[in-house]
Amino acid sequence: PSVHQSPGSDTGSVYVREGSSFFDLIFPIENGAWLLVVIRWDSLKKLLFDQQVGKLGAIWVIDTNGIVAGDSRLEHQGMKTLPAWGYFQDRLKDRTSWQGEFKNHKGVPSVGAGQWIETAGWFVLSAQPQSEAYAKIWELRRKAFTWVVISIIGMGILAYFWVAHSSHTFVRLANGVQSCASR
């Protein structure tokens, strides 16, 4: 792996040796020497991918070349087509933490949050399709709309009976008072 001359540590890409995945951490120590630490990727994956992002969501670790180094759903591991993904290109240009709506690599409207781990050169993305993320909101909106319609219909029925029955009594009472006053 390439080493960047910097005062901080550097991390290499995930690689496979004898059926196991690893990545390297290189730390600067005294007198210009470096300490190389080899870490099993599987151990880190358990920690990173312990959380579930709905039924259809996923957590991805993407390197600066657009290769999916880790996928919590194990569907896109090692996928190399992401460099052309517009959303990822925007994240390469703007390395600040991000959250919001976007279209995933398949064009599906999604919602999520992401953060660059600069020393590792990895972008960690947690995302899920909007259809799943907003399902509860859409359900509540439908219920609210249903209750508004039922309320308007109920008020209409109440107004009809009020006018048809209650106001008739008041009209008769008013006519009686007027009749007494005129005699």
Side-chain angles (χ1 to χ4, degrees), residues 84-126:
W85 184 23
Y87 166 80
F88 184 69
Q89 290 300 318
D90 293 342
R91 300 290 67 78
L92 279 172
K93 293 174 191 165
D94 180 8
R95 300 262 178 141
T96 60
S97 61
W98 180 91
Q99 63 184 4
E101 297 176 346
F102 66 103
K103 289 194 181 206
N104 73 9
H105 63 289
K106 295 179 181 176
V108 175
S110 301
V111 62
Q115 176 70 48
W116 277 99
I117 302 171
E118 288 295 338
T119 56
W122 292 343
F123 181 68
V124 179
L125 173 65
S126 175

Side-chain angles (χ1 to χ4, degrees), residues 2-129:
S2 63
V3 176
H4 305 289
Q5 289 291 354
S6 68
S9 60
D10 189 20
T11 306
S13 300
V14 175
Y15 58 92
V16 177
R17 292 280 190 266
E18 298 178 14
S20 295
S21 299
F22 300 93
F23 68 97
D24 301 329
L25 286 174
I26 302 172
F27 292 100
I29 53 177
E30 295 176 6
N31 300 326
W34 292 81
L35 173 66
L36 172 66
V37 179
V38 178
I39 299 172
R40 280 194 66 158
W41 172 240
D42 297 329
S43 303
L44 183 60
K45 280 195 309 190
K46 287 178 186 172
L47 178 67
L48 278 173
F49 303 145
D50 188 31
Q51 303 299 315
Q52 195 170 13
V53 187
K55 293 180 181 178
L56 302 174
I59 299 172
W60 284 4
V61 176
I62 308 168
D63 71 13
T64 55
N65 297 318
I67 298 170
V68 179
D71 176 6
S72 63
R73 298 177 61 82
L74 303 173
E75 295 175 354
H76 300 92
Q77 189 104 2
M79 188 170 152
K80 295 180 172 114
T81 58
L82 292 181
W85 184 23
Y87 166 80
F88 184 69
Q89 290 300 318
D90 293 342
R91 300 290 67 78
L92 279 172
K93 293 174 191 165
D94 180 8
R95 300 262 178 141
T96 60
S97 61
W98 180 91
Q99 63 184 4
E101 297 176 346
F102 66 103
K103 289 194 181 206
N104 73 9
H105 63 289
K106 295 179 181 176
V108 175
S110 301
V111 62
Q115 176 70 48
W116 277 99
I117 302 171
E118 288 295 338
T119 56
W122 292 343
F123 181 68
V124 179
L125 173 65
S126 175
Q128 71 184 125

